[in-house]
Amino acid sequence: MDMNAFSLQHKIAWITGGSYGIGFAIAEAFAAAGATIVFNDIRQELVDKGLAAYRDKGIAARGYVCDVTDESAVQALVARIQDEVGVIDILVNNAGIIKRVPMTEMSAEDFRKVVDIDLNAPFICAKAVLPAMIQKGHGKIINICSMMSELGRETVSAYAAAKGGLKMLTRNICSEYGEHNIQCNGIGPGYIETPQTAPLRQRQPDGSRHPFDQFIVSKTPAARWGTTDDLQGPAVFLASDASNFVNGHILYVDGGILAYIGKQP
């Protein structure tokens, strides 16, 4: 096997919401594989924070402010990236939010906001990069899905609906544009150690685990939370020529949760 198939040399990768967390980790792996990194975030302070983090890693990334739910702004950003850096070869639709609210207490406005960022924005960004990918005759789109693309759980109705829709958007992009040598796949992270989940992993005053931490570890055959490093290899695979015949697939990186019914009480 030619291991150069995993190289991202001479590729330009755009990671939405790539200032920190999962998006940053994926961008770091892409850079190590040879890709040129561009990213965006919703506010300048987040972009500045991301640029500083990339510099600390020795990565010459370019950062832009852009609201990925604004189609005109996204189209303008893609045109700017093409002018300043080149045609985008790899898109990672990473930007997203979650609102943990019981469904009967959630406003329709908040439901729409989650769907707008987690589902409509990936549609907008994919739509913006597809024409140049078609013209180039190759492209990779990676949507950051979720275990909630397959499962439901209390308080995450909007998130689960959006991520379930993102799974089907992934398959539909594959169906429409696979003939142009464009692969659209998803990564479904399990429960990952990030700054956002840190409060759920804090030790209690008596030294015991947080109840949610206990719940996740007990439901995961790997018996631990995932790390952002666990997502790097799968992301590089899906971004590289090694996955050129993998299309419309959701790769769940969850430590085995979706395969596991749990221990008998």
Side-chain angles (χ1 to χ4, degrees), residues 1-261:
M1 176 181 176
D2 182 5
M3 297 304 292
N4 288 326
F6 292 92
S7 172
L8 300 182
Q9 288 287 339
H10 312 301
K11 302 294 186 181
I12 296 169
W14 172 29
I15 297 91
T16 70
S19 297
Y20 60 93
I22 288 173
F24 181 87
I26 289 173
E28 184 183 3
F30 285 179
T36 297
I37 303 302
V38 297
F39 72 97
N40 74 283
D41 222 311
I42 188 68
R43 298 190 304 275
Q44 186 65 54
E45 57 265 34
L46 290 174
V47 172
D48 292 342
K49 178 182 176 181
L51 288 171
Y54 284 110
R55 282 194 298 270
D56 286 346
K57 295 286 187 178
I59 299 170
R62 288 175 178 257
Y64 302 88
V65 176
C66 183
D67 178 354
V68 288
T69 67
D70 183 335
E71 185 169 8
S72 296
V74 168
Q75 291 284 350
L77 175 59
V78 169
R80 183 178 174 187
I81 292 170
Q82 290 180 359
D83 181 57
E84 296 180 356
V85 188
V87 172
I88 295 165
D89 299 287
I90 304 159
L91 165 65
V92 180
N93 278 313
N94 168 73
I97 63 168
I98 186 170
K99 289 182 179 289
R100 296 182 176 89
V101 182
M103 183 174 169
T104 56
E105 298 173 19
M106 189 174 212
S107 68
E109 180 182 358
D110 278 347
F111 189 96
R112 291 189 189 101
K113 183 175 182 179
V114 173
V115 172
D116 202 22
I117 295 172
D118 292 358
L119 178 56
N120 292 342
F123 162 78
I124 289 168
C125 293
K127 178 183 174 183
V129 302
L130 276 165
M133 288 182 175
I134 292 169
Q135 186 174 17
K136 192 170 186 177
H138 189 37
K140 300 281 187 175
I141 298 173
I142 302 172
N143 293 324
I144 303 302
C145 296
S146 167
M147 291 190 304
M148 297 301 109
S149 298
E150 301 289 343
L151 300 172
R153 190 169 64 79
E154 63 278 3
T155 77
V156 293
S157 58
Y159 183 80
K163 292 299 186 178
L166 186 57
K167 174 183 70 174
M168 294 311 301
L169 177 64
T170 300
R171 292 176 176 173
N172 208 77
I173 292 171
C174 156
S175 301
E176 285 201 62
Y177 300 104
E179 65 180 318
H180 298 285
N181 194 26
I182 293 168
Q183 292 83 50
C184 182
N185 294 289
I187 293 177
Y191 287 90
I192 305 296
E193 292 180 357
T194 66
Q196 288 84 353
T197 62
L200 300 175
R201 292 179 281 105
Q202 286 181 345
R203 290 283 176 172
Q204 302 301 286
D206 63 0
S208 64
R209 280 178 154 165
H210 188 289
F212 192 79
D213 184 16
Q214 294 178 15
F215 168 71
I216 292 305
V217 171
S218 71
K219 292 295 184 182
T220 306
R224 65 174 178 86
W225 288 64
T227 68
T228 54
D229 288 354
D230 290 320
L231 301 170
Q232 292 181 321
V236 169
F237 167 65
L238 292 178
S240 73
D241 288 344
S243 62
N244 281 351
F245 205 56
V246 178
N247 212 353
H249 176 72
I250 312 300
L251 176 53
Y252 290 101
V253 186
D254 64 357
I257 289 180
L258 288 175
Y260 186 47
I261 196 171

